[in-house]
Amino acid sequence: MSDDYDKYDLEMEKHVHSGHSGKQRSKKEASDHTNHHDPSGHSRKIVDKLKNTEAKKKQPAAK
């Protein structure tokens, strides 16, 4: 008998929490805490590339 109730609880859990964008958030909270467009492009990639280039220039050439 308890198996029927467990199945019902699991089925209802899917329907009750669907559409909340995960983590029990409202739609407004989900939109507030999402990745936003960066107009400057891939700024993190560019900074990492520049840092790596500088680090390689400072290292002596190994032969």
Side-chain angles (χ1 to χ4, degrees):
M1 189 72 158
S2 66
D3 292 335
D4 292 334
Y5 289 119
D6 291 337
K7 183 178 178 184
Y8 175 77
D9 286 342
L10 291 175
E11 289 295 319
M12 286 305 294
E13 188 76 17
K14 276 195 270 184
H15 298 293
V16 168
H17 295 296
S18 65
H20 281 258
S21 302
K23 298 185 182 178
Q24 311 289 318
R25 289 181 174 167
S26 67
K27 287 184 179 181
K28 183 182 182 318
E29 286 176 324
S31 67
D32 288 345
H33 298 99
T34 187
N35 292 335
H36 299 287
H37 178 67
D38 185 9
S40 63
H42 298 285
S43 56
R44 190 182 78 225
K45 278 178 153 179
I46 294 168
V47 169
D48 285 343
K49 188 179 261 190
L50 291 172
K51 284 183 359 186
N52 291 338
T53 302
E54 289 297 318
K56 285 180 183 179
K57 284 182 182 178
K58 290 180 182 178
Q59 290 177 351
K63 290 185 179 182

